Every structure is written in C-alpha cells, then in structure tokens.
C-alpha cells in the first residue's frame, strides 16, 4: 500500500446553511478562508459548491469560473480544486451537461446516477464523459451503493465510461438515510472491483457518524478520505465541530495512525487518470 493519502475537504455542499453551522462557507470570500485553513490542516484537495444570491445551489459557469480563479490565486497548487456537477433536485441531466460544457472544468465530480437516470440517458452521458476525458479533465465518479459500483464496472466494460484508470468516491449513507444501521460495509463496495481489469483509486465519505465509522478502515486499506460540513458538522464524540479545518485535522490523525501522510495536490491529480 502506498503511504500517500488524499484528504479532501468538502466544506459546504448543496444544502447546508448557516442554520446547520455558522461556519458553512457560502460566499467566495468564505470559501477562500476555508480553503486556506483546510490546506494548512493537511488537505490536498477541496470539493466545493457555489450558491446563487439567494443561497441556493448553483452550477452557473460564469460564477463558478470567477470563484475558481479567486481560489486558485489564494491557494495556488496547495489544493486540487474540484467542482461539483450535482443536480440537487434543481437541474435536469441535459442542463448539467450543458452547464459543465460551458465551464469546461479541469476537475469535477460526477454522480453516475444523475447522468444516467434512465436507459435513454446512456448515449448522452457516454458522449459527455468521453468529451471530458478527451479534454484532459479529471473526473471522480460518485457511487452511492455497492450495486452502483457493479454498474460502474459494467459501464466501463461496455465502453460507456472511457479511460484505463479511474478515481471513485464511495458514499456511506444519504440525506434520507443518515445514520441507519444497515449501511453497506466497505467490503461490499470493494468487492465488484476485485476482478475489474482497470485500476481504480477510491475515496470514502459518510453522513454524520458514518464518516468516522468508515475513515479508519479506508485509510488502513489504501483508500482516501473526504471530510467536511457537506456531510457532517460533528466531531466523533457527537459535539459540534468548530470548522472544516478541524475536521481535516482529525482525518490527518486517522491517516497518520495508519502510517500514511498527505501526497499533495499533484498526487491527488495523478489518481484520476
């Protein structure tokens, strides 16, 4: 197992507000402050969302580009900056594709189930993924269950998803099923990759206490960690965390306990393709 690890900060998400935590970053200025503090704490990657003037989730490419430019000026090569393509119940599949094509991001996450919502979406999704891959974009595919990992493998075999190397995010729990006891195990997510001919790096995140349940298992088995207020605002003991930087520091300690240290932003980029 490589001793390098990626710890990604996910500080805001599409749904959290100041009512959830006063330090959820919603503006560009707050995102910059958070990016610096998370980099200082040991993160090498940041997955972030932007909001419209009313505080709603947005994929506006012009606003996204302005925020990306300001973040890049602030953190330089300290963090790999990953935008989201999340629909969040607002955008259709075709709107997601059109907005991402306009933005042409260097690094983004794509929830597979949002881009292929029905059989008729396969062709348009495949074309989009291939356009991204050809452009050199770094894509992280988000998978919400072991069944989706099996689906991902099948889509690779069918040529729907391009590339010979991939970076995956396994999500444990959901907004609807935050702390249920029957959340799938890490073994369940990894099993479909056992005989997959293409190398895959993988990262985990979890809602609320699921975040801590899976982190040490992932770090000890070669996985990477995503942490932050998008999914969880609480410490392992159930008390409210101070900020996103504190959550990153916790995962740094988990990684060090497993003999792993941050590989930096260039290492994070290398896992994608």
């Amino acid at each position: 197992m490589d001793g390098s690890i990626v710890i990604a900060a996910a500080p805001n998400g599409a749904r959290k507000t100041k009512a959830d935590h006063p330090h959820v970053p919603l503006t560009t200025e707050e995102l910059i402050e958070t990016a610096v503090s998370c980099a200082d704490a040991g993160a090498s990657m940041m997955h972030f969302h932007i909001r419209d003037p009313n505080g709603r989730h947005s994929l506006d490419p012009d606003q996204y580009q302005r925020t990306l430019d300001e973040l890049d000026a602030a953190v330089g090569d300290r963090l790999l900056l990953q935008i989201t393509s999340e629909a969040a119940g607002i955008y259709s599949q075709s709107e997601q594709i059109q907005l991402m094509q306009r933005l042409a991001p260097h690094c983004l996450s794509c929830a597979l189930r949002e881009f292929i919502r029905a059989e008729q979406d396969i062709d348009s999704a495949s074309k989009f993924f291939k356009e991204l891959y050809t452009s050199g974009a770094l894509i992280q595919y988000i998978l919400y269950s072991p069944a989706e990992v099996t689906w991902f493998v099948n889509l690779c075999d069918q040529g729907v998803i391009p590339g010979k190397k991939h970076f995956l995010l396994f999500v444990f729990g959901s907004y609807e099923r935050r702390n249920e006891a029957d959340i799938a195990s890490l073994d369940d997510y990894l099993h479909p990759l056992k005989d997959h001919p293409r190398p895959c790096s993988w990262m985990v995140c979890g809602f609320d206490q699921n975040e801590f349940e899976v982190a040490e298992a992932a770090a000890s088995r070669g996985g990477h960690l995503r942490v932050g207020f998008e999914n969880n605002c609480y410490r392992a003991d159930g008390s409210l965390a101070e900020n996103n930087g504190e959550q990153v520091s916790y995962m740094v300690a988990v990684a060090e306990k497993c003999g792993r240290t941050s590989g930096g932003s260039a290492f994070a980029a290398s896992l994608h393709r």
Side-chain angles (χ1 to χ4, degrees), residues 46-112:
M46 186 170 85
H47 165 88
F48 70 98
H49 297 236
I50 58 171
R51 305 295 180 92
D52 68 16
N54 296 316
R56 297 178 71 226
H57 170 69
S58 175
L59 295 179
D60 177 76
D62 295 327
Q63 183 185 348
Y64 238 136
Q65 190 60 60
R66 288 192 296 269
T67 300
L68 274 166
D69 290 344
E70 293 192 41
L71 280 167
D72 186 60
V75 295
D77 60 0
R78 298 182 69 197
L79 293 176
L80 176 63
L81 299 172
Q82 181 192 76
I83 67 129
T84 185
S85 61
E86 184 177 344
I90 298 172
Y91 298 99
S92 67
Q93 185 250 30
S94 61
E95 288 172 328
Q96 288 174 280
I97 289 175
Q98 290 166 12
L99 290 166
M100 290 299 103
Q101 287 173 330
R102 284 175 54 194
L103 178 59
H106 171 60
C107 182
L108 76 162
S109 63
C110 294
L112 198 56

Side-chain angles (χ1 to χ4, degrees), residues 226-247:
R226 195 179 93 171
V227 64
F229 287 177
E230 173 164 352
N231 300 118
N232 174 44
C233 295
Y234 295 90
R235 301 183 177 106
D237 65 7
S239 61
L240 196 66
E242 182 177 352
N243 53 43
N244 280 284
E246 180 189 334
Q247 301 292 71

Side-chain angles (χ1 to χ4, degrees), residues 39-257:
D40 289 345
S44 55
M45 182 173 173
M46 186 170 85
H47 165 88
F48 70 98
H49 297 236
I50 58 171
R51 305 295 180 92
D52 68 16
N54 296 316
R56 297 178 71 226
H57 170 69
S58 175
L59 295 179
D60 177 76
D62 295 327
Q63 183 185 348
Y64 238 136
Q65 190 60 60
R66 288 192 296 269
T67 300
L68 274 166
D69 290 344
E70 293 192 41
L71 280 167
D72 186 60
V75 295
D77 60 0
R78 298 182 69 197
L79 293 176
L80 176 63
L81 299 172
Q82 181 192 76
I83 67 129
T84 185
S85 61
E86 184 177 344
I90 298 172
Y91 298 99
S92 67
Q93 185 250 30
S94 61
E95 288 172 328
Q96 288 174 280
I97 289 175
Q98 290 166 12
L99 290 166
M100 290 299 103
Q101 287 173 330
R102 284 175 54 194
L103 178 59
H106 171 60
C107 182
L108 76 162
S109 63
C110 294
L112 198 56
R113 68 185 188 185
E114 289 191 346
F115 284 92
I116 305 178
R117 307 183 192 191
E119 188 76 18
Q120 59 264 30
D121 295 330
I122 292 178
D123 287 345
S124 57
S126 180
K127 181 180 178 182
F128 173 62
F129 293 147
K130 289 172 182 175
E131 286 175 356
L132 286 172
Y133 185 79
T134 301
S135 75
L138 308 179
I139 313 167
Q140 185 177 38
Y141 294 98
I142 304 178
L143 306 171
Y144 288 86
S145 69
E148 288 194 12
V149 182
T150 298
W151 183 36
F152 168 83
V153 169
N154 291 338
L155 290 172
C156 289
D157 292 342
Q158 295 164 21
V160 173
I161 294 176
K164 298 179 180 179
K165 179 181 180 181
H166 299 103
F167 193 25
L168 310 178
L169 176 66
F170 302 150
V171 182
F172 291 79
S174 68
Y175 287 103
E176 296 77 26
R177 300 168 59 239
R178 302 182 74 89
N179 278 313
E180 287 189 14
D182 64 347
I183 296 299
S185 73
L186 180 56
D187 281 335
D188 294 333
Y189 279 81
L190 292 174
H191 182 73
L193 298 177
K194 183 178 179 182
D195 298 317
H196 187 40
R198 301 164 187 83
C200 290
S201 298
W202 50 274
M203 176 179 282
V204 300
C205 73
F207 285 81
D208 300 324
Q209 292 303 305
N210 291 312
E211 185 167 79
F212 306 107
E213 292 292 330
V214 73
E216 189 165 342
S220 67
R221 297 178 65 177
H224 304 275
L225 309 178
R226 195 179 93 171
V227 64
F229 287 177
E230 173 164 352
N231 300 118
N232 174 44
C233 295
Y234 295 90
R235 301 183 177 106
D237 65 7
S239 61
L240 196 66
E242 182 177 352
N243 53 43
N244 280 284
E246 180 189 334
Q247 301 292 71
V248 170
S249 294
Y250 180 91
M251 291 304 176
V252 168
V254 168
E256 290 177 346
K257 182 180 177 181

